[in-house]
Amino acid sequence: NAGVMQNPRHLVRRRGQEARLRCSPMKGHSHVYWYRQLPEEGLKFMVYLQKENIIDESGMPKERFSAEFPKEGPSILRIQQVVRGDSAAYFCASSELAWETQYFGPGTRLLVL
Amino acid sequence: RKEVEQDPGPFNVPEGATVAFNCTYSNSASQSFFWYRQDCRKEPKLLMSVYSSGNEDGRFTAQLNRASQYISLLIRDSKLSDSATYLCVVNINTGRRALTFGSGTRLQVQP
């Protein structure tokens, strides 16, 4: 049973470009969570999605960031017009049911030049 | 005040030592508690859940004190492979279904 998959593992963007991060949850999991980890800091919750629905986006920056989890395909975290401060590791986690244990993917490390 | 607070360490201990990590959380509505382990530049991995009655998994023992809003992790007979950052994680039940992470405590086990 494959775990949570994320791609790309590393992404380099120049300021002003768009970054798209993908997450495929574990098989049978319909709850997806995105977290961001800045260098030398703990993980911070960004958004929680179920299929086709955003349940909680209280941790998402108000501008430039969006997330989706379509009926088919992976969850996408999209960052428009990236800035240097967006450089971080972005982790996706999934769970079978709400409140159940969350399992993390390997993360995408975004570097903005 | 941070929602979940941990001593950042680092804790440098010799192989075979017993080491204890502490964590406090601020929201009394917190429902679930976990210890995760994160190796350098890797994803967090669940180490164990923490229950009010305390629980043990091999060399690892976790305790929860709801009255003091305090969680602990005890590692006995430390191995070199235990070197990592240990994250105290709380699921705060205010309608949000997300985990709140402490900043982590770094452990370095030395030969």
Side-chain angles (χ1 to χ4, degrees):
Chain A
N1 185 14
V4 179
M5 311 279 283
Q6 287 188 250
N7 68 82
R9 295 289 302 276
H10 299 273
L11 183 61
V12 180
R13 285 287 178 266
R14 297 194 180 280
R15 279 180 296 170
Q17 291 184 319
E18 179 179 288
R20 278 183 178 244
L21 287 60
R22 286 177 289 278
C23 169
S24 297
M26 283 179 74
K27 189 176 179 182
H29 287 194
S30 59
H31 300 257
V32 166
Y33 314 79
W34 285 92
Y35 295 84
R36 176 165 68 174
Q37 186 172 33
L38 295 169
E40 306 300 324
E41 292 189 16
L43 276 80
K44 295 286 192 292
F45 166 76
M46 297 182 75
V47 61
Y48 161 46
L49 310 102
Q50 284 180 268
K51 280 288 185 181
E52 299 185 273
N53 291 305
I54 297 174
I55 307 300
D56 180 354
E57 55 182 349
S58 58
M60 287 275 270
K62 294 285 185 283
E63 296 175 348
R64 303 187 297 108
F65 285 72
S66 62
E68 62 177 11
F69 189 14
K71 189 176 179 182
E72 302 291 336
S75 175
I76 307 282
L77 179 67
R78 184 180 175 210
I79 312 172
Q80 294 178 289
Q81 299 173 342
V82 295
V83 301
R84 289 217 173 106
D86 296 333
S87 296
Y90 291 83
F91 291 100
C92 166
S94 73
S95 64
E96 186 175 2
L97 298 171
W99 299 108
E100 289 284 316
T101 302
Q102 295 180 23
Y103 296 90
F104 283 79
T108 294
R109 296 187 185 278
L110 173 66
L111 176 63
V112 180
L113 301 176
Chain B
R1 184 184 171 190
K2 289 184 181 177
E3 290 182 294
V4 179
E5 292 214 56
Q6 294 183 251
D7 180 344
F11 284 57
N12 295 304
V13 303
E15 268 187 292
T18 294
V19 60
F21 304 138
N22 303 319
C23 166
T24 56
Y25 59 95
S26 60
N27 194 321
S28 59
S30 301
Q31 293 285 312
S32 316
F33 309 88
F34 309 90
W35 283 101
Y36 276 73
R37 169 197 169 128
Q38 186 174 27
D39 291 284
C40 188
R41 301 186 67 78
K42 300 280 191 181
E43 73 272 25
K45 290 189 175 172
L46 179 67
L47 183 63
M48 57 199 305
S49 301
V50 188
Y51 304 112
S52 296
S53 54
N55 48 301
E56 188 173 309
D57 182 1
R59 299 182 292 108
F60 299 84
T61 301
Q63 296 277 353
L64 167 64
N65 184 323
R66 284 188 183 270
S68 303
Q69 296 181 196
Y70 170 96
I71 307 159
S72 65
L73 177 68
L74 184 77
I75 305 175
R76 290 181 298 279
D77 188 22
S78 301
K79 312 289 185 195
L80 293 175
S81 57
D82 293 334
S83 298
T85 297
Y86 289 83
L87 306 172
C88 177
V89 184
V90 174
N91 199 336
I92 301 171
N93 186 3
T94 55
R96 281 181 54 191
R97 291 169 171 81
L99 302 178
T100 301
F101 284 75
S103 298
T105 298
R106 203 147 56 93
L107 171 66
Q108 184 67 47
V109 181
Q110 295 167 340

